[in-house]
Amino acid sequence: ATKAPIAKIADRVSGVFVPAVITIAIITIIAWLIAGETVGFSLARGISVLVISCPCALGLATPVAIMVGNGKGAKSGILFKTAASLEATGRTQIVALDKTGTITSGEPKVTDIVPDEKFFEETGNHAGALLAIAASVEAKSEHPLAKAIMDRAKTDEIAVAEVTDFSAVVGNGLTAILAGKMIKAGNLAFVSKFVKVSDDMRAKAVEFSKEGKTPLFFAADDRLCGIIAVADTIKEDSPEAVRQLKNMGIRVVMLTGDNEQTANAIGKQAGVDEVIAGVLPDGKEAVIRKLKKQGRVAMVGDGINDAPALTRADMGIAIGAGSDVAIDAADVVLMKSRLIDVPAAVRLSRATLTNIHENLFWAFFYNVIGIPLAAGLWYPLLGWKLNPMFGAAAMSLSS
């Protein structure tokens, strides 16, 4: 495992400690001989210095605490890949959360189907006709919202037609040819480039967004077909996880590709400090770079698109149920896929660091008190001298 910075410091101190103690022991023997004491007395003081000093305590202070911290984390489903990640997690100042699959369940559902009545005036089942178009064009997409539409089409027993010339525009929408018509599907900004969207439809989309739903627009050639609203439910533990992080003094930021109104609705439900909306998959890494200028950043995500941001952040935390790429890119993996484990990881890291500091304090404190006593510093004033056997016992007990 990669050594944490504090472990490297402890190793250096331990490396210097032994030659320093030997030097002190030699100086002690010479000093007592010069002071007129016998050779036996002088040697006893030097030997006492050697046997009471405890580099073991300094050497054990950090690795034992890290070992226990890693073990406690593993039992709770929190995997710290390195000792450095265990130490650094507790120093996090800003936590950036991906929305889909992290704050939300990542399993969106179709909530509303709003067809354009004029477009489907020759069709009896307007909603079914819009869903048929949507399912046909989304069938080749791997986006979670596309899956929601396909699930609804399957539930409603809607037939899916074959499309050609399928093309995806990352973060915006997609196009395909269905029954000789060019179909465009995606957000308002994308679809409105090709067709005119009425004020009523725009108002409906705004209404959906305020409710935390994502409105998807569908158009055929130069006419709008309608809107399908999809919503992703927040995980039960997300608001509590965010609250705990904020109580620790950590700023919580949510990243999403959703429009600002939908993002703000989800962000409000989760209780985050800041919402950054309209972030394209390749833009998350740039956002993390900006956040790093404000403090130490931990990025929490689950998808392939989160991997660059997880790598860029000071600490990458992956949801265990996410993609293999995200897990490989992260420093910490939440095996139980619970957002509540993020504050738990921070608490565990801080507790481990506190334990390390306490261990180092007692190791130094013991040596600072024990070595002068063994050297006979108090002998001229109080008559105190230490038997080397008691020094050896004290050394063992100190570890």
Side-chain angles (χ1 to χ4, degrees), residues 356-367:
I356 290 171
H357 295 151
E358 289 172 349
N359 289 350
L360 290 172
F361 167 77
W362 287 112
F364 277 111
F365 182 77
Y366 160 80
N367 285 293

Side-chain angles (χ1 to χ4, degrees), residues 61 64-66 68 350-361:
V64 170
I66 288 175
V68 174
R350 290 181 178 180
T352 302
L353 279 174
T354 299
N355 188 225
I356 290 171
H357 295 151
E358 289 172 349
N359 289 350
L360 290 172
F361 167 77

Side-chain angles (χ1 to χ4, degrees), residues 16-275:
V16 172
F17 187 84
V18 174
V21 167
I22 294 173
T23 303
I24 293 171
I26 294 171
I27 292 172
T28 298
I29 294 171
I30 294 171
W32 282 117
L33 289 172
I34 293 172
E37 293 293 338
T38 65
V39 173
F41 181 90
S42 301
L43 284 174
R45 303 289 71 75
I47 293 170
S48 294
V49 168
L50 289 174
V51 297
I52 200 171
S53 61
C54 192
C56 316
L58 289 172
L60 292 170
T62 302
V64 170
I66 288 175
M67 179 180 68
V68 174
N70 270 319
K72 297 283 282 185
K75 285 182 179 179
S76 302
I78 302 169
L79 176 62
F80 294 95
K81 291 187 177 179
T82 64
S85 62
L86 174 58
E87 179 183 333
T89 301
R91 297 195 176 107
T92 298
Q93 296 169 302
I94 302 170
V95 170
L97 303 172
D98 177 52
K99 189 204 81 172
T100 305
T102 303
I103 292 180
T104 62
S105 64
E107 297 180 359
K109 307 287 184 185
V110 172
T111 58
D112 302 88
I113 301 176
V114 184
D116 184 300
E117 299 295 333
K118 293 181 180 178
F119 183 86
F120 295 107
E121 56 189 1
E122 298 178 0
T123 307
N125 181 6
H126 296 185
L130 174 58
L131 186 57
I133 293 174
S136 298
V137 75
E138 297 282 7
K140 294 186 177 182
S141 173
E142 296 181 359
H143 196 281
L145 300 184
K147 183 178 181 300
I149 291 175
M150 296 306 297
D151 288 344
R152 178 61 179 268
K154 185 177 180 180
T155 300
D156 292 359
E157 298 181 347
I158 299 295
V160 176
E162 187 67 28
V163 299
T164 58
D165 296 336
F166 176 87
S167 176
V169 182
V170 178
N172 287 300
L174 48 85
T175 62
I177 294 177
L178 173 64
K181 294 184 178 181
M182 175 61 76
I183 307 297
K184 295 97 175 176
N187 57 31
L188 175 60
F190 176 73
V191 173
S192 61
K193 293 178 183 178
F194 306 99
V195 301
K196 182 180 179 181
V197 180
S198 68
D199 292 340
D200 288 343
M201 283 296 193
R202 288 177 182 271
K204 199 69 179 175
V206 170
E207 182 183 333
F208 288 143
S209 297
K210 288 180 178 178
E211 295 172 356
K213 302 173 183 177
T214 301
L216 301 176
F217 290 77
F218 295 87
D221 289 337
D222 59 350
R223 294 183 60 187
L224 183 70
C225 303
I227 302 173
I228 294 180
V230 179
D232 191 2
T233 56
I234 286 187
K235 292 179 180 177
E236 290 183 6
D237 64 342
S238 291
E240 177 61 19
V242 172
R243 186 188 68 79
Q244 289 186 21
L245 288 170
K246 291 168 71 174
N247 287 343
M248 293 177 184
I250 296 173
R251 181 169 151 231
V252 184
V253 179
M254 185 183 85
L255 308 181
T256 177
D258 289 344
N259 65 65
E260 194 168 343
Q261 288 178 319
T262 301
N264 286 334
I266 298 295
K268 186 177 181 180
Q269 293 177 46
V272 300
D273 293 305
E274 182 182 355
V275 173

